[in-house]
Amino acid sequence: MKIAGLFAGVGGLESGLAAAGHETSMLCEIWEPARAVLASRIPDVPCERDVRDIKALPGEVEVLVAGFPCQDLSQAGLTAGIEGARSGLVGQVFRLLDQRRVPWVVLENVSFMLQLDRGRAMRILIEAFEERGYRWAYRVVNSLSFLPQRRERVLFVATTTDVDPASVVLADEAEPQLAATDLDARAHGFYWTEGVRGLGWAPDAIPTLKNGSTVGIASPPAILLPTGGVITPDIRDAERFQGFPEDWTKPAEQVGRPSLRWSLVGNAVSVPVAKWLGGCLASPSLYDVHRDGKLPPDGRWPKAARFDGERRYSVSINAYPQWEARPALVKFLQYYGKPLSARATRGFLSRTERATLRFADGFQDRLRGHLARMEAFESQKESGCAVAAE
């Protein structure tokens, strides 16, 4: 099917759909670093700059996809809601649908949108689609199904066709092979910028790559290695954690500082997730109605639900549509990571000592060992610089 990709970022959704046999006819992205990536990686597809300037979608478009800006919806953002200055741009989707009801619509966003304002953000979206004659189905999908990154996102599919959208997004389910904590045998990802209220602990994986952090910067998670060392991954491995080829975002350096690549990767849609969805769009499966249940009475939205044209249902299904074999995290990494600095380690440990969180036995001791080694290394380095200066 022909795709129009709004808020395209660096093309994660579009790349995955293309891998499943679909074709992108139009892109739209306003941020210059992301536009530089799209121009280099998807050069044959025209890219509009501002969604507000698009008069109408090309007549050939059969699927409108939009990973609309999530900053106002995510827990890392200001939680301003669906009407926030950035996430409110999703209203442009409905303006374009009012021009022409595209047969299929796919939206992607952070899972926190299901809880925001007691479900108000999701309710606004759902009512807008139902008013326009769409049936819909959505589900939280975890990228851990395909890659060693724990990343939950809502995939929302709406259609005016005779195909049941539940047969696209709610038919596949796999039993995940989740790794247990074992500090001696496995690497473990965590957020070094947190440590008081959260940790993002991920055995044999990393927690969600994010655009921001609690210290106000876009930063990679940390990885505790079985050796006791603590590193942050190389940006090229971060791209691979999202399913992109390494250096996919490097063209962004032509128009911005290299650190912006972390924001681009953190904002992206995982390519294998989009590929799975594209395969389901091309060849829907049979939905099992025995999964149907009642929606919660408090107005909050479950992790999966659907609307059959007459009634809304909660759906009992996990976040893992497939489970693909992958190497251990230590073997997945292709590049030497950067050791977590003494300053960063010291700050993290200080936060953990004030926290009420429960940590794996030996975790803090290993961090203290890493801190001692980094302090010794940095002290030796400073001494060497002082001698050289003399």
Side-chain angles (χ1 to χ4, degrees), residues 1 22 43 58 87 89 129-130 185-186 210 231 292-293 380 390:
M1 290 190 279
H22 304 284
S87 296
L89 289 172
F129 276 105
E130 291 178 2
R186 298 188 177 98
K210 298 190 293 186
I231 63 169
D292 288 346
Q380 185 179 25
E390 293 175 359

Side-chain angles (χ1 to χ4, degrees), residues 7-84:
F7 318 110
V10 294
L13 256 175
E14 295 76 13
S15 296
L17 292 172
H22 304 284
E23 181 181 349
T24 302
S25 297
M26 186 195 82
L27 294 166
C28 182
E29 173 56 47
I30 197 169
W31 196 28
E32 284 302 324
R35 287 177 59 84
V37 174
L38 293 174
S40 176
R41 305 307 186 196
I42 315 178
D44 297 329
V45 178
C47 184
E48 301 292 333
R49 182 177 300 275
D50 194 330
V51 66
R52 293 167 293 193
D53 294 333
I54 299 175
K55 303 302 181 184
L57 296 173
E60 64 185 11
V61 169
E62 301 163 271
V63 186
L64 172 61
V65 303
F68 63 93
C70 66
Q71 289 93 332
D72 290 323
L73 299 181
S74 67
Q75 288 175 303
L78 301 178
T79 62
I82 197 70
E83 295 173 346

Side-chain angles (χ1 to χ4, degrees), residues 36-333:
V37 174
L38 293 174
S40 176
R41 305 307 186 196
I42 315 178
D44 297 329
V45 178
C47 184
E48 301 292 333
R49 182 177 300 275
D50 194 330
V51 66
R52 293 167 293 193
D53 294 333
I54 299 175
K55 303 302 181 184
L57 296 173
E60 64 185 11
V61 169
E62 301 163 271
V63 186
L64 172 61
V65 303
F68 63 93
C70 66
Q71 289 93 332
D72 290 323
L73 299 181
S74 67
Q75 288 175 303
L78 301 178
T79 62
I82 197 70
E83 295 173 346
R86 291 181 293 270
S87 296
L89 289 172
V90 73
Q92 297 298 319
V93 171
F94 298 113
R95 177 182 65 81
L96 293 170
L97 292 178
D98 288 339
Q99 297 289 330
R100 181 172 72 87
R101 283 201 315 168
V102 177
W104 290 92
V105 180
V106 174
L107 301 181
E108 181 271 351
N109 216 294
V110 294
S111 58
F112 184 64
M113 71 177 293
L114 300 176
Q115 308 170 36
L116 188 62
D117 295 338
R118 292 184 174 271
R120 180 172 175 268
M122 199 67 182
R123 186 166 60 253
I124 290 172
L125 281 178
I126 282 170
E127 290 175 353
F129 276 105
E130 291 178 2
E131 289 169 1
R132 290 163 175 80
Y134 284 85
R135 292 180 297 155
W136 54 262
Y138 77 79
R139 175 186 189 177
V140 172
V141 173
N142 197 325
S143 296
L144 198 57
S145 295
F146 309 94
L147 297 160
Q149 180 195 179
R150 194 181 64 203
R151 183 184 189 87
E152 289 193 340
R153 290 295 184 268
V154 175
L155 292 180
F156 182 97
V157 177
T159 186
T160 59
T161 71
D162 293 333
V163 178
D164 183 356
S167 68
V168 173
V169 76
L170 294 172
D172 294 345
E173 185 178 37
E175 186 66 31
Q177 306 298 310
L178 302 177
T181 294
D182 187 335
L183 301 186
D184 293 321
R186 298 188 177 98
H188 298 73
F190 65 96
Y191 290 131
W192 65 267
T193 54
E194 299 186 13
V196 175
R197 296 182 180 178
L199 182 63
W201 189 246
D204 214 26
I206 62 167
T208 304
L209 288 165
K210 298 190 293 186
N211 178 45
S213 68
T214 56
V215 295
I217 57 174
S219 57
I223 299 173
L224 172 62
L225 300 171
T227 59
V230 182
I231 63 169
T232 57
D234 186 275
I235 183 62
R236 292 166 292 184
D237 276 329
E239 291 165 329
R240 295 176 57 246
F241 278 122
Q242 285 283 55
F244 292 106
E246 60 187 60
D247 275 333
W248 179 265
T249 62
K250 191 171 181 59
E253 295 182 8
Q254 300 169 8
V255 296
R257 61 186 187 276
S259 61
L260 289 177
R261 293 173 65 183
W262 287 102
S263 294
L264 293 170
V265 172
N267 280 334
V269 177
S270 298
V271 176
V273 171
K275 181 181 178 181
W276 163 77
L277 181 63
C280 295
L281 281 167
S283 182
S285 300
L286 183 64
Y287 174 70
D288 182 1
V289 296
H290 292 98
R291 295 184 181 275
D292 288 346
K294 294 182 179 180
L295 288 171
D298 61 2
R300 299 196 181 193
W301 297 93
K303 289 196 171 184
R306 73 183 188 101
F307 173 64
D308 65 3
E310 296 182 359
R311 183 179 172 185
R312 300 171 183 171
Y313 298 91
S314 174
V315 175
S316 176
I317 196 168
N318 69 23
Y320 304 94
Q322 295 180 7
W323 186 262
E324 292 191 1
R326 77 289 308 271
L329 179 56
V330 291
K331 293 184 177 180
F332 179 88
L333 298 170

